[in-house]
Amino acid sequence: MVSRKIKSLEQVVIAQPRHELLQVAEIVAREKGIERDEVLEAMEQAIQKAAKSKYGFEHDIRVEIDRTVGDVTVYRVRTVVDLIEDDLKQITLEEAKKLDETAAVGDELTETLPPVEFGRVAAQMARQVIVQKVRDAERTRQYAEFKDRVGEIISGLVKRVEFGNVILDLGRAEGVLRREDIIPRETFRVGDRIRVFVAEINPEARSHLIILSRTHPQFMAKLFEQEVPEIYDSVIEIKSVARDPGSRAKIAVYTSDPSIDPVGACVGMRGSRVQAVVNELQGEKVDIIPWSSNPATFVVNALAPAEVMKVVIDEEAQRVDVVVAEDQLSLAIGRRGQNVRLASQLTGWNIDMMTEEKEASRRAEETANRSHLFIEALDIDEMIAQLLIAEGFSSIEEITQVGLSEFSNIEGFDEEIAQELKNRASLFLEKRDENLIARCQELGVEEAVFQLNNLTPVSLVALAEAKIKTLDDVAELSGDELMDIVGKDNLSIDQANEIIMAARAHWFEADQQ
C-alpha cells in the first residue's frame, strides 16, 4: 500500500508565533548570500536535534517551521504495521484506528509533542548545528559561483593576515592567498585592493575553498592578456610561461600573421605594455621569447641573451646539449642557474650547458670508447673502427641490424667485408648474451622471468643485481620503476607496463581457480 501521512486527532499546532525566526533567517540569508529556506532547514535540524536529546534519539522526531508565520511544530512519527518490530517507531493498525479511523497499514501517523524548552546545552547544540549548516550552504554557493572562474584574474580587498596567509574579501566570498603564493618581499595591509589569480577551487578544504596565487605562471600570462589586445583577441598566442617569482620570468609568444611582430606587440610603445606587467609583478624582469616549432631554434631563443654556437638534440631522452663560447657560459647559465632553468621550463627540454672545449673533449672520449668497443668486439683495426663511427654506428647491435647494401655503400667496404662484420657482430652478441644469462642464473633469477618478452639479457642482469629475481618481484614494480632499473633507453613505458602485466598473469589465474 502506498504510504500516506495522517494527522493525529490530538495534533495541535504550537500556537506561539515565531516571527523572530523568520526575521533571523532573512538576515542570515542576506548576509551569507544563501536562500532563506536553507537557513530555516538548518533551524529545523537544530530544533530536531534538541528535541531528540529530550525525548530520546530512538524516536522518529521531526520539526517543521511554517514559512509564512514562523510557527514551530514538533511531532513524532510512527508507521502503521501488522506486526511490531520497533515499538518506538511503529504502531499496530488496531491502535492507529483509535487515533484515526482511516489509518491503514503503511501509513505514517504523527502526534504533536510539547514545545521544546532550550536549556544551555541544548541551545549550544542547536547553535552549532545552525552555524555548520549555514556554513555548508555558504560553501556550496561559493563553489557554484567560482568553480568556473579557475584561471581568471580577480581583485579583492585584504580582510586580514593570518600567519603570513592573506585572507581576501572577494565580495560574496573569501579566498586565501597563501604565504608561498605571495611574491617575495611583497607585503599587504588590511584594506589594500590587489589582483590575484584563481588557482584552485577545493571543495574538500577545511577552511577556505578558493585558493589564490600571485606566483602562478599563468598569473603573468593573464596579465599580458589584459594589457595586449592582440593576445585577448587570439591574434597572438602565449605558448608557454616560466617564472622565478619576484626575480625573472620568460614568456614564449607566437602568431601565424606574418605582418605582426609578437614580441614587439607584447613590449608595446616604449615598453608600456610589458612595464605595466612588470609593475604588477613587483619589478620581476620579463624576457619575451618568439616561439618556434623547431626545438633547436626555440631553445636558442629561450637562452637569450646568451649566444649559442651549437645545439645537439636527443629526442628520446628529451635532452638538449647546448654549446657556447667560454665567455658566454656564465651568461647562458645565469645567476644560480636561473637562466638555463627558466629556459628548460619554458621549452620543456632538459638543457645541458657546456663550452666548446668541453664538448670537443666529451666527443673525443665517446669516439675513443666506441672505437675501443668495435676493435675488441669485431677484431678490426682502428681505421675500420673510425670508418664505422664516422658512418654513425654507436653500438654492436646497430651493425647487425643494417642491411648489406647499406654497408656496401661505405667507402672501402664491399659485400664480403660487410657480411664478415655482421657475422662477427652477431657472434659477439651471442657470446655476450650467453655470459649474461649465466650470470643471471648464478644470481638466482627464476626461469619464468627469462620468458617475459622485451627483457634482454642486459636488462635481466640489471634486474638481478637490483634483487628482482622472481615473477612476483617483477609484478610488484611500476612501469617507471622497471624503466629506472633497466634503463629508459632499453624499454618504452608501454613495453614496461606490458612486462609487468605479463608477470602478474599468474595472480589472476590463481584467483580464478
Side-chain angles (χ1 to χ4, degrees):
M1 180 180 290
V2 177
S3 176
R4 61 190 180 88
K5 188 173 179 181
I6 303 173
K7 295 292 184 182
S8 170
L9 295 178
E10 290 101 355
Q11 180 173 356
V12 180
V13 175
I14 299 174
Q16 183 180 2
R18 299 283 180 168
H19 295 294
E20 65 273 14
L21 287 180
L22 299 182
Q23 293 173 357
V24 170
E26 195 73 45
I27 293 170
V28 172
R30 191 163 52 248
E31 287 181 351
K32 300 298 184 180
I34 58 179
E35 296 296 325
R36 188 188 72 156
D37 275 355
E38 291 181 300
V39 181
L40 289 172
E41 287 172 8
M43 290 179 172
E44 287 173 342
Q45 291 185 30
I47 298 172
Q48 180 188 49
K49 192 168 185 178
K52 283 190 172 184
S53 66
K54 177 179 179 179
Y55 295 112
F57 286 94
E58 61 276 10
H59 292 284
D60 185 359
I61 307 292
R62 302 181 190 179
V63 174
E64 287 183 0
I65 298 176
D66 189 288
R67 299 311 196 247
T68 305
V69 297
D71 291 342
V72 179
T73 304
V74 180
Y75 54 88
R76 181 178 68 163
V77 178
R78 288 184 292 176
T79 304
V80 180
V81 296
D82 286 325
L83 182 63
I84 290 180
E85 297 178 355
D86 184 347
D87 59 354
L88 296 177
K89 294 182 180 179
Q90 297 174 335
I91 185 172
T92 63
L93 179 60
E94 182 181 352
E95 292 294 324
K97 285 187 175 292
K98 294 178 182 179
L99 301 174
D100 189 325
E101 293 181 355
T102 62
V105 174
D107 292 338
E108 289 185 340
L109 191 68
T110 67
E111 52 187 315
T112 302
L113 299 175
V116 178
E117 297 295 332
F118 283 87
R120 183 180 63 84
V121 175
Q124 180 67 21
M125 185 186 306
R127 179 179 177 277
Q128 289 175 353
V129 171
I130 292 173
V131 168
Q132 184 59 47
K133 293 297 179 182
V134 169
R135 184 181 291 121
D136 291 344
E138 185 181 14
R139 287 171 63 83
T140 301
R141 191 265 306 161
Q142 290 181 4
Y143 177 75
E145 183 176 338
F146 281 87
K147 64 183 176 66
D148 296 326
R149 300 190 67 182
V150 174
E152 292 184 10
I153 287 182
I154 60 176
S155 63
L157 285 173
V158 176
K159 193 171 184 180
R160 61 186 182 276
V161 179
E162 300 174 347
F163 308 106
N165 301 323
V166 178
I167 311 303
L168 292 182
D169 183 352
L170 305 175
R172 282 162 42 97
E174 282 187 358
V176 59
L177 183 62
R178 296 175 297 195
R179 182 186 306 173
E180 60 268 27
D181 294 320
I182 298 174
I183 296 173
R185 300 181 300 280
E186 200 169 37
T187 57
F188 300 109
R189 293 178 295 180
V190 174
D192 287 349
R193 178 168 290 278
I194 59 176
R195 287 196 284 178
V196 290
F197 179 78
V198 182
E200 180 185 358
I201 305 295
N202 183 8
E204 305 299 326
R206 297 183 61 181
S207 54
H208 298 90
L209 78 161
I210 303 173
I211 310 300
L212 309 170
S213 176
R214 284 176 59 82
T215 60
H216 197 287
Q218 288 303 310
F219 178 52
M220 185 178 74
K222 288 295 180 180
L223 288 174
F224 269 103
E225 184 177 316
Q226 292 181 353
E227 296 294 334
V228 183
E230 292 88 345
I231 295 177
Y232 181 81
D233 295 334
S234 300
V235 177
I236 294 176
E237 181 182 355
I238 297 176
K239 287 290 190 177
S240 58
V241 181
R243 287 184 66 192
D244 191 350
S247 177
R248 192 173 179 182
K250 291 178 182 286
I251 179 169
V253 294
Y254 169 77
T255 180
S256 57
D257 189 339
S259 65
I260 295 177
D261 174 15
V263 175
C266 293
V267 172
M269 187 70 69
R270 297 182 181 178
S272 59
R273 291 175 175 177
V274 70
Q275 192 57 47
V277 175
V278 169
N279 291 341
E280 181 64 38
L281 299 178
Q282 305 299 312
E284 191 171 310
K285 296 178 181 178
V286 180
D287 295 337
I288 304 174
I289 309 298
W291 180 85
S292 174
S293 58
N294 185 314
T297 302
F298 189 22
V299 168
V300 170
N301 293 342
L303 287 169
E307 296 179 5
V308 176
M309 298 179 63
K310 182 180 178 182
V311 173
V312 180
I313 292 179
D314 185 345
E315 292 189 1
E316 290 186 2
Q318 200 69 11
R319 188 182 72 246
V320 180
D321 292 337
V322 177
V323 180
V324 296
E326 186 71 40
D327 60 348
Q328 291 287 307
L329 183 62
S330 60
L331 182 62
I333 294 175
R335 185 180 180 185
R336 298 178 182 175
Q338 185 185 64
N339 191 55
V340 70
R341 184 175 67 253
L342 290 177
S344 180
Q345 293 174 12
L346 189 74
T347 61
W349 291 79
N350 295 317
I351 300 176
D352 291 335
M353 303 296 304
M354 65 186 71
T355 62
E356 189 176 18
E357 181 181 348
K358 182 179 178 182
E359 192 265 344
S361 174
R362 191 182 71 171
R363 189 168 61 248
E365 183 179 351
E366 289 177 354
T367 300
N369 290 336
R370 289 178 187 173
S371 177
H372 180 72
L373 172 64
F374 290 152
I375 291 171
E376 292 294 321
L378 305 176
D379 191 22
I380 57 178
D381 59 29
E382 187 171 350
M383 185 183 72
I384 296 178
Q386 292 296 330
L387 276 174
L388 292 172
I389 293 170
E391 289 297 323
F393 290 98
S394 60
S395 67
I396 302 298
E397 286 83 356
E398 290 178 0
I399 294 176
T400 62
Q401 294 164 2
V402 173
L404 285 176
S405 59
E406 190 172 341
F407 242 132
S408 301
N409 291 331
I410 302 175
E411 186 179 353
F413 283 20
D414 56 24
E415 190 169 318
E416 184 179 350
I417 294 176
Q419 186 62 60
E420 179 62 23
L421 287 174
K422 286 175 68 67
N423 291 340
R424 292 184 184 184
S426 297
L427 184 60
F428 170 80
L429 292 177
E430 288 174 8
K431 290 182 178 179
R432 185 201 65 180
D433 290 348
E434 288 175 3
N435 292 333
L436 290 173
I437 291 172
R439 174 63 177 158
C440 288
Q441 293 170 339
E442 288 177 9
L443 292 171
V445 175
E446 190 176 77
E447 184 63 30
V449 177
F450 287 94
Q451 307 305 317
L452 294 173
N453 292 331
N454 296 319
L455 281 180
T456 64
V458 174
S459 299
L460 288 168
V461 170
L463 287 171
E465 291 176 345
K467 301 189 184 305
I468 309 297
K469 303 178 182 180
T470 67
L471 277 183
D472 287 338
D473 292 340
V474 178
E476 289 171 357
L477 296 173
S478 67
D480 290 335
E481 288 173 335
L482 180 57
M483 289 176 68
D484 288 339
I485 294 172
V486 305
K488 295 183 178 180
D489 293 338
N490 298 321
L491 274 184
S492 67
I493 186 63
D494 290 337
Q495 289 174 327
N497 290 331
E498 185 180 331
I499 290 169
I500 291 168
M501 292 307 297
R504 292 175 180 173
H506 70 289
W507 291 353
F508 305 119
E509 292 170 2
D511 289 341
Q512 291 174 357
Q513 293 174 359

